[in-house]
Each structure stands twice: as structure tokens, then as C-alpha cells.
Amino acid sequence: MMKGFNVNIALCESYDNTTMSVTKFFNEVRAIDNKAKICVFSMLNYVGCEEVDLGLDYFVKCIKPEDERYQDTKIPLFSIEAKKKEENQTEEYNVFESIFAQPKEISFPTKGIYEIQVYEIGESVRLIEKAVERYKKYQESKINPISAYRFMVV
């Protein structure tokens, strides 16, 4: 991962792009018929000497399910690319910041503890087209997420 790059994530009820306002952060999701709407809030920040050019994969992983059959179930959420040229550069460093939220409707296989995981799409997985296949590579290579957020599905 690029030195000086931070990814902060949380679940929120909604996000207004115009006013850059977040409504209600939470860590408990109520699923109805195993489905729930979530909004993944992300805040990216980088201060350093390099230009920003990286991809991020977002997944939901079942950490502690009520039904053990679903242990380690992975749900791909979305992937993004973060790119920034030298617009905000001073003589000492380059600055990149981005705030966004991605609403999603998800089918959760069971109630329990889940985790949103964010992985940097590095050179070893960049050419792998499917997110699920990239996740397998992250696990095989013992690559840890660069950011994670735990929540309950009830």
C-alpha cells in the first residue's frame, strides 16, 4: 500500500453528495427476509510524494454467523479506482482526499457478525477480472485488508 494513504469506512443511513452530509452512522443492520439496504461511507486521504493511482475492492465477510454453514461467506460489494494527478501538490507533498458513499441492497445468508473489508488491488491481482477471484488471491497470499468495519445483522 502507498505510504501515507488512509481508508476509513463506516455504515450510514444515507449520504448527500451536494451538502456532503452523512445521516446516522450505525453498526447494526436489520435484515428483512435476509435482505437489507446499507450505505457504505468511505473517506480516502493521502499525503505524500507520489501521484495516487490505485484500485480498491470492497467485500462483506461473514465473521461469526448464527448458522455456522455460512462462516467466511464473502459478498463482493464494489470496486473503485482512486486517481489523482499533481493538482494539489505543494513543493513538499501531494494531497488527495475523497469522500463518497455507495448504497447497496445485500442478501445476507444468516444473522450474525459481518465485516466490510477493503483491499488494495495490487499488482498481483490487477489483471484478475472477477472480484471473487481477486478475493481468493488475497486469501491465498495472506494479504490483510487495508481497512475493515464490523457490524451485526439482526
Side-chain angles (χ1 to χ4, degrees), residues 24-114:
K24 189 180 174 188
F25 286 112
F26 57 85
N27 61 0
E28 186 174 283
V29 174
R30 295 215 176 273
I32 299 171
D33 295 328
N34 289 350
K35 292 186 179 181
K37 291 182 181 179
I38 64 170
C39 190
V40 181
F41 174 79
S42 297
M43 189 166 55
L44 313 179
N45 176 270
Y46 168 73
V47 176
C49 296
E50 304 171 40
E51 291 182 357
V52 175
D53 183 8
L54 65 105
L56 300 173
D57 273 331
Y58 286 67
F59 297 91
V60 171
K61 181 178 180 181
C62 189
I63 301 295
K64 190 173 181 183
E66 254 185 26
D67 183 336
E68 292 298 320
R69 294 178 298 163
Y70 298 105
Q71 181 70 41
D72 296 329
T73 296
K74 294 151 286 300
I75 304 167
L77 286 177
F78 55 91
S79 300
I80 65 160
E81 285 196 27
K83 292 185 179 197
K84 184 71 172 181
K85 300 262 180 196
E86 298 180 13
E87 293 171 14
N88 295 339
Q89 186 166 340
T90 66
E91 290 182 18
E92 296 97 34
Y93 54 86
N94 191 20
V95 176
F96 169 84
E97 65 275 332
S98 179
I99 297 173
F100 65 93
Q102 182 74 36
K104 296 292 274 186
E105 184 168 354
I106 297 179
S107 292
F108 293 98
T110 185
K111 295 175 181 176
I113 299 173
Y114 287 79

Side-chain angles (χ1 to χ4, degrees), residues 112-128:
I113 299 173
Y114 287 79
E115 185 174 81
I116 297 173
Q117 299 178 335
V118 181
Y119 289 87
E120 179 180 1
I121 302 173
E123 293 302 318
S124 65
V125 296
R126 195 168 292 275
L127 298 178
I128 301 172

